[in-house]
Amino acid sequence: MNNNQPSFFELLIEAHIGLERQGPGSRETIKKALGFLGDLNKFESIADLGCGTGGQTLILAEYLSGRIVGLDMFPEFVRELDKKAKSKDLSDRVKGIAGNMERLPFEKNSLDLIWSEGAIDNIGFEKGLSHWRGFLKKGGYVAVSCPSWLTNEHPAEAEKFWNDAGSDLDIIGNNIAVMQNCGYQFVAAFALTEECWTDNYYSPREKAIQKLIEKYDSCDTVIEYAGINRSEAELYLKYKQHYGYVFYIGRAV
Ligand SMILES: C[S@@+](CC[C@H](N)C(=O)[O-])C[C@H]1O[C@@H](n2cnc3c(N)ncnc32)[C@H](O)[C@@H]1O
């Protein structure tokens, strides 16, 4: 292989760093989820886990007056969040940190709200909710979006894709039971709309991939990376009635 070719990791960062979001979601979804949390003024200490470059973190900062820490495993993304927070004059209460969602760096019982969009499946829904519960104050909320089965039919091709990606999808009812078993009162669950995937994530990502193909002069790694990303988007269009992101909201009891 040509040593000048970028690695998959580099391509992943480069394709995503300039995007508004690194996964499916929308402002409307955020507002809808916030609508289940009661008085938003009570949230003083908030964590946004797997924040990416902070698209949703900064939207949260518009609706919440508390301090928000965005945590992500990629320092490149976290730096981008800090840059955007600074440009919006929010650095005094929005801060990014590089870290692992599996070992949160917060004090126990210190958070009013844990937010997380499209990230918990990387460590497992149960593992994440159970670990995070210890960092919430009693009565604090968790609001997470997670890819889930929307029907009882689980097409093998889609199941294989998600399993290979390390995300074992479950049905909504099972996830709600998991949430309750992890020490939360169930508050709400709702599915994200198709536009959250297509207009807000796959379309801008495709444009970024096109730019990479031009920049790297159609080198093998970029073509392979583009192919994998495009297959993922095609898979969604083929099976979107069977799987999607679902927002789960719970309250620490
Ligand atoms: C699908 S992206 C979602 C990003 C953002 N929340 C959004 O919705 O646009 C998942 C994010 O989770 C982060 N992530 C995955 N595993 C993680 C871990 N163990 N600890 C911290 N961040 C992680 C990734 O780096 C990535 O930014």
Side-chain angles (χ1 to χ4, degrees):
M1 200 201 342
N2 176 351
N3 283 336
N4 294 325
Q5 294 201 12
S7 66
F8 261 45
F9 174 75
E10 288 165 333
L11 290 171
L12 182 135
I13 299 285
E14 201 172 341
H16 285 87
I17 199 148
L19 300 184
E20 185 74 25
R21 311 189 46 93
Q22 287 74 43
S26 70
R27 175 181 286 270
E28 292 68 37
T29 306
I30 293 171
K31 279 166 71 176
K32 186 168 176 177
L34 286 172
F36 290 104
L37 306 186
D39 175 14
L40 300 182
N41 291 319
K42 64 182 181 283
F43 299 120
E44 291 174 358
S45 194
I46 301 129
D48 179 12
L49 307 180
C51 64
T53 62
Q56 72 290 311
T57 324
L58 294 169
I59 293 177
L60 284 176
E62 290 177 34
Y63 297 99
L64 305 172
S65 56
R67 291 179 315 283
I68 311 179
V69 173
L71 177 144
D72 201 279
M73 65 194 281
F74 291 142
E76 296 88 340
F77 286 175
V78 167
R79 280 196 290 274
E80 197 61 22
L81 164 60
D82 281 337
K83 226 164 54 185
K84 290 195 230 168
K86 192 169 175 208
S87 76
K88 289 181 181 280
D89 226 7
L90 286 167
S91 299
D92 55 333
R93 62 185 190 89
V94 177
K95 184 163 105 52
I97 54 171
N100 189 342
M101 297 185 301
E102 288 185 78
R103 288 187 296 281
L104 292 186
F106 308 112
E107 272 182 35
K108 293 274 175 166
N109 308 307
S110 68
L111 299 172
D112 297 296
L113 170 64
I114 291 182
W115 194 271
S116 181
E117 293 193 39
I120 196 168
D121 52 305
N122 288 291
I123 62 171
F125 193 72
E126 182 165 16
K127 192 171 180 187
L129 284 186
S130 151
H131 176 58
W132 301 352
R133 171 66 187 83
F135 296 88
L136 280 172
K137 294 175 189 167
K138 195 163 189 255
Y141 285 86
V142 69
V144 295
S145 70
C146 182
S148 311
W149 291 118
L150 304 177
T151 63
N152 284 339
E153 190 187 333
H154 306 157
E157 191 185 4
E159 189 156 43
K160 179 172 179 348
F161 166 80
W162 284 101
N163 286 350
D164 289 350
S167 305
D168 291 333
L169 269 53
D170 211 337
I171 56 170
I172 298 167
N174 286 349
N175 281 337
I176 291 172
V178 165
M179 178 173 252
Q180 291 173 329
N181 289 336
C182 288
Y184 300 89
Q185 170 202 351
F186 169 68
V187 175
F190 64 90
L192 272 64
T193 61
E194 188 181 329
E195 293 72 33
C196 290
W197 292 73
T198 51
D199 299 357
N200 298 352
Y201 181 49
Y202 286 146
S203 293
R205 189 179 73 177
E206 174 57 27
K207 286 191 188 129
I209 287 170
Q210 268 302 335
K211 281 194 191 152
L212 291 182
I213 292 173
E214 285 158 30
K215 176 177 169 187
Y216 292 103
D217 197 20
S218 302
C219 83
D220 296 348
T221 332
V222 179
I223 295 300
E224 197 185 338
Y225 180 77
I228 292 169
N229 278 262
R230 286 169 178 164
S231 307
E232 180 203 327
E234 281 160 18
L235 192 82
Y236 174 69
L237 290 181
K238 192 167 167 190
Y239 296 118
K240 64 188 180 200
Q241 72 273 35
H242 297 296
Y243 70 83
Y245 268 37
V246 172
F247 234 108
Y248 297 90
I249 297 155
R251 194 165 193 210
V253 288

